[in-house]
Amino acid sequence: MSELRLQKFIADCGITSRRKAEELIVQGRVQVNGDTVRILGTKVNPDVDAVIVDGQIADLGSVDKVYLVMNKPRGYVTTVDDPEGRRTVMDLCKEVSERIYPVGRLDYLSEGLLLLTNDGEVANMVMHPSFNITKVYEVKVFGSVTETILKKLRNGVQLEEGFVKPLSVRVIKQLPNKTWVEFRLGEGRNREIRKICEACGLTVDKLKRVAIEGLTVEGIAPSKFRYITKKQLLNLIGVSEDGKKLEGDRAWMSSKKTVNLKKKGVQAGTAADDEAWIKYRKETYFKSVKELDERRKSEEEAAKAASLAARDEAHFARKKKKALREKKKAEANYKAPHAVIVD
C-alpha cells in the first residue's frame, strides 16, 4: 500500500475524524514505530509502520465501516465524551459495537440530522467546504420577520472568522409570536446560523438540521437512528467513491411553501430584531427559562393561596349565615312565660 498522511490513516482506521487526528498529533498522543510524532505532514505506510494512538494500535484491517443517520434531540452534546458530564449523542447509540464518532457538530440546543461513522475519509467529504455540500436548516426565531430582516439575512454578515452568506433564506411559517425560517448553507461553519441571526438582531428559539445535500432526517424519530450503506450515503451527498463531486444538483428540497411577505404581510406583534427577545438567547436561555418557571410557580402559588382564602371566606360567611338563621329560628320559637312568681 502507498504512503498516507498520518492524520488520514488514523481517520481511516476509525479512531477519530481527520480534524481530531490532527489535534492528537500536535498534542503528542500519536506514536509511529515507537517515536512520538507531532508533525502533521508525516506520512506512513500501513503495511510497514506501526501507529499507536493513546495506546491503541491503529489497524485498517480490523475496522468495519459503519454509517449512522441520527435525529439528534435537544439537550445532547455532539461529542464522543463531555468533560462536564453532560449527555452526549453517543448515549443514544450504545448498542453499536464499533467505535464511531459524530461528523460535524450540532450544538447542545440544536437538533436534527447528524451523521456518525468511523470512516474518516467520508467524514472529511461531508465537512470539507471544497465538496460544496448543501446543508438545510429550519430555524424558529422569536418575533415577526420583516422584509428588511429577511434581506439582511440573505445579504450575509461579517463575523470574526470572515464574511458568511447563506445560499438562501426564506420564511416557511408564521406563528403569533415566532417565525419559522429555512436556511440553506454551502459551508456550514460552527454555529454559523446562530451567529448570522444574532448579527442581524434575531434570537433563535429552535434550530433543526433537516438535510445534508440529499440525505434527510425524514422518517427518523428524535433520539433514534438508522444504518445506511456507504454507497447510499455517497450517492445522497453527491460524491463518488473516489472523492469527486458528482454532477447535478442533489440537494433536498422541502415541500413547505414560501411565505410571501409582500403579499401576505408580516404577522402582528413585536419585530424579530427587537431587543426584547435577547433574554432568550443561548447564553441566557436557561436563566430566562428558570426565571419564567419561577414566576409561573409563584403565580400558581399566589393563585392557590387566593383560592384558599376565598374558600375560607366563603366558608365563614356560610357559617355566619347559618348562625343567624338558627338565632332567628330560636327567637321565633321562644314562648315567654304567662306569669312570673316573685317572692
Side-chain angles (χ1 to χ4, degrees), residues 6 9-10 15 28-37 49-58:
L6 181 56
F9 173 71
I10 294 172
I15 294 176
R29 295 162 62 181
V30 178
Q31 291 183 323
V32 178
N33 299 325
D35 297 324
T36 300
V37 176
D49 299 316
V51 179
I52 298 178
V53 182
D54 285 340
Q56 176 185 350
I57 298 176

Short mmCIF file of all heavy atoms in Angstrom, two decimals, residues 6 9-10 15 28-37 49-58:
data_model
loop_
_atom_site.label_atom_id
_atom_site.label_comp_id
_atom_site.label_asym_id
_atom_site.label_seq_id
_atom_site.Cartn_x
_atom_site.Cartn_y
_atom_site.Cartn_z
N LEU A 6 -0.45 10.84 8.02
CA LEU A 6 -0.72 10.21 9.31
C LEU A 6 -2.15 10.48 9.78
O LEU A 6 -2.84 9.56 10.24
CB LEU A 6 0.29 10.71 10.35
CG LEU A 6 0.17 10.13 11.76
CD1 LEU A 6 0.24 8.61 11.72
CD2 LEU A 6 1.27 10.70 12.65
N PHE A 9 -4.60 8.38 7.82
CA PHE A 9 -4.51 6.97 8.21
C PHE A 9 -5.28 6.72 9.51
O PHE A 9 -6.03 5.75 9.63
CB PHE A 9 -3.05 6.56 8.37
CG PHE A 9 -2.87 5.18 8.93
CD1 PHE A 9 -3.16 4.06 8.16
CD2 PHE A 9 -2.41 5.00 10.23
CE1 PHE A 9 -3.01 2.78 8.70
CE2 PHE A 9 -2.26 3.74 10.76
CZ PHE A 9 -2.56 2.61 9.98
N ILE A 10 -5.10 7.61 10.49
CA ILE A 10 -5.79 7.48 11.78
C ILE A 10 -7.30 7.54 11.57
O ILE A 10 -8.06 6.76 12.15
CB ILE A 10 -5.33 8.57 12.76
CG1 ILE A 10 -3.85 8.36 13.12
CG2 ILE A 10 -6.19 8.57 14.02
CD1 ILE A 10 -3.26 9.48 13.94
N ILE A 15 -10.51 5.61 14.27
CA ILE A 15 -10.22 6.05 15.63
C ILE A 15 -10.88 7.38 15.93
O ILE A 15 -11.46 7.59 17.00
CB ILE A 15 -8.69 6.13 15.85
CG1 ILE A 15 -8.09 4.72 15.76
CG2 ILE A 15 -8.35 6.78 17.18
CD1 ILE A 15 -6.59 4.68 15.87
N GLY A 28 0.94 15.34 20.78
CA GLY A 28 1.93 14.31 21.11
C GLY A 28 1.33 13.01 21.58
O GLY A 28 1.97 12.25 22.32
N ARG A 29 0.12 12.69 21.13
CA ARG A 29 -0.56 11.48 21.58
C ARG A 29 -0.50 10.37 20.54
O ARG A 29 -1.18 9.36 20.65
CB ARG A 29 -2.02 11.82 21.91
CG ARG A 29 -2.12 12.77 23.10
CD ARG A 29 -3.46 13.46 23.19
NE ARG A 29 -4.56 12.53 23.38
CZ ARG A 29 -5.84 12.92 23.47
NH1 ARG A 29 -6.14 14.22 23.40
NH2 ARG A 29 -6.81 12.02 23.63
N VAL A 30 0.35 10.58 19.51
CA VAL A 30 0.47 9.59 18.44
C VAL A 30 1.93 9.15 18.32
O VAL A 30 2.85 9.98 18.31
CB VAL A 30 -0.02 10.17 17.09
CG1 VAL A 30 0.16 9.13 15.98
CG2 VAL A 30 -1.47 10.60 17.19
N GLN A 31 2.12 7.84 18.21
CA GLN A 31 3.48 7.29 18.03
C GLN A 31 3.55 6.51 16.72
O GLN A 31 2.60 5.80 16.35
CB GLN A 31 3.84 6.36 19.18
CG GLN A 31 4.03 7.07 20.51
CD GLN A 31 4.47 6.10 21.60
OE1 GLN A 31 4.02 4.96 21.65
NE2 GLN A 31 5.35 6.55 22.48
N VAL A 32 4.66 6.65 16.03
CA VAL A 32 4.92 5.88 14.81
C VAL A 32 6.22 5.11 15.02
O VAL A 32 7.28 5.71 15.25
CB VAL A 32 5.05 6.80 13.58
CG1 VAL A 32 5.37 5.97 12.33
CG2 VAL A 32 3.76 7.58 13.37
N ASN A 33 6.12 3.81 15.01
CA ASN A 33 7.28 2.93 15.25
C ASN A 33 7.98 3.26 16.57
O ASN A 33 9.21 3.26 16.67
CB ASN A 33 8.27 3.03 14.09
CG ASN A 33 7.63 2.59 12.77
OD1 ASN A 33 6.81 1.68 12.75
ND2 ASN A 33 8.02 3.25 11.69
N GLY A 34 7.17 3.58 17.59
CA GLY A 34 7.71 3.83 18.92
C GLY A 34 8.11 5.27 19.19
O GLY A 34 8.42 5.62 20.33
N ASP A 35 8.12 6.12 18.17
CA ASP A 35 8.52 7.53 18.34
C ASP A 35 7.29 8.44 18.29
O ASP A 35 6.43 8.30 17.42
CB ASP A 35 9.50 7.95 17.25
CG ASP A 35 10.80 7.15 17.31
OD1 ASP A 35 11.24 6.84 18.44
OD2 ASP A 35 11.36 6.84 16.24
N THR A 36 7.24 9.38 19.22
CA THR A 36 6.14 10.35 19.23
C THR A 36 6.29 11.31 18.05
O THR A 36 7.36 11.86 17.81
CB THR A 36 6.13 11.15 20.54
OG1 THR A 36 5.96 10.25 21.64
CG2 THR A 36 5.01 12.19 20.54
N VAL A 37 5.21 11.50 17.31
CA VAL A 37 5.22 12.36 16.13
C VAL A 37 4.29 13.54 16.35
O VAL A 37 3.15 13.36 16.78
CB VAL A 37 4.78 11.57 14.87
CG1 VAL A 37 4.70 12.50 13.66
CG2 VAL A 37 5.74 10.42 14.61
N ASP A 49 4.62 0.49 8.79
CA ASP A 49 4.71 1.29 10.02
C ASP A 49 3.66 0.91 11.06
O ASP A 49 2.51 0.59 10.73
CB ASP A 49 4.56 2.77 9.68
CG ASP A 49 5.66 3.26 8.75
OD1 ASP A 49 6.82 2.90 9.00
OD2 ASP A 49 5.34 3.98 7.77
N ALA A 50 4.07 0.98 12.33
CA ALA A 50 3.16 0.72 13.46
C ALA A 50 2.75 2.04 14.07
O ALA A 50 3.60 2.81 14.53
CB ALA A 50 3.85 -0.15 14.50
N VAL A 51 1.47 2.31 14.05
CA VAL A 51 0.93 3.57 14.58
C VAL A 51 0.09 3.29 15.82
O VAL A 51 -0.79 2.42 15.81
CB VAL A 51 0.07 4.29 13.52
CG1 VAL A 51 -0.51 5.58 14.09
CG2 VAL A 51 0.89 4.58 12.26
N ILE A 52 0.40 4.03 16.89
CA ILE A 52 -0.34 3.88 18.15
C ILE A 52 -0.91 5.23 18.55
O ILE A 52 -0.18 6.23 18.62
CB ILE A 52 0.57 3.33 19.26
CG1 ILE A 52 1.09 1.93 18.88
CG2 ILE A 52 -0.18 3.27 20.58
CD1 ILE A 52 2.03 1.33 19.90
N VAL A 53 -2.20 5.26 18.84
CA VAL A 53 -2.89 6.49 19.25
C VAL A 53 -3.46 6.28 20.66
O VAL A 53 -4.32 5.43 20.86
CB VAL A 53 -4.03 6.84 18.28
CG1 VAL A 53 -4.70 8.14 18.70
CG2 VAL A 53 -3.51 6.95 16.85
N ASP A 54 -2.95 7.05 21.61
CA ASP A 54 -3.39 6.92 23.01
C ASP A 54 -3.34 5.47 23.47
O ASP A 54 -4.24 4.97 24.15
CB ASP A 54 -4.81 7.47 23.19
CG ASP A 54 -4.85 8.99 23.17
OD1 ASP A 54 -3.80 9.62 23.40
OD2 ASP A 54 -5.93 9.55 22.91
N GLY A 55 -2.26 4.76 23.07
CA GLY A 55 -2.08 3.38 23.49
C GLY A 55 -2.84 2.37 22.67
O GLY A 55 -2.73 1.17 22.91
N GLN A 56 -3.61 2.83 21.69
CA GLN A 56 -4.40 1.93 20.85
C GLN A 56 -3.74 1.77 19.48
O GLN A 56 -3.38 2.74 18.83
CB GLN A 56 -5.82 2.50 20.67
CG GLN A 56 -6.69 1.68 19.72
CD GLN A 56 -8.03 2.34 19.47
OE1 GLN A 56 -8.40 3.30 20.12
NE2 GLN A 56 -8.77 1.82 18.50
N ILE A 57 -3.57 0.53 19.05
CA ILE A 57 -2.96 0.27 17.75
C ILE A 57 -3.94 0.61 16.64
O ILE A 57 -5.09 0.19 16.66
CB ILE A 57 -2.54 -1.22 17.63
CG1 ILE A 57 -1.48 -1.54 18.70
CG2 ILE A 57 -2.01 -1.52 16.24
CD1 ILE A 57 -1.08 -3.01 18.72
N ALA A 58 -3.48 1.38 15.66
CA ALA A 58 -4.31 1.75 14.51
C ALA A 58 -4.12 0.70 13.42
O ALA A 58 -3.01 0.49 12.93
CB ALA A 58 -3.90 3.13 14.00
#
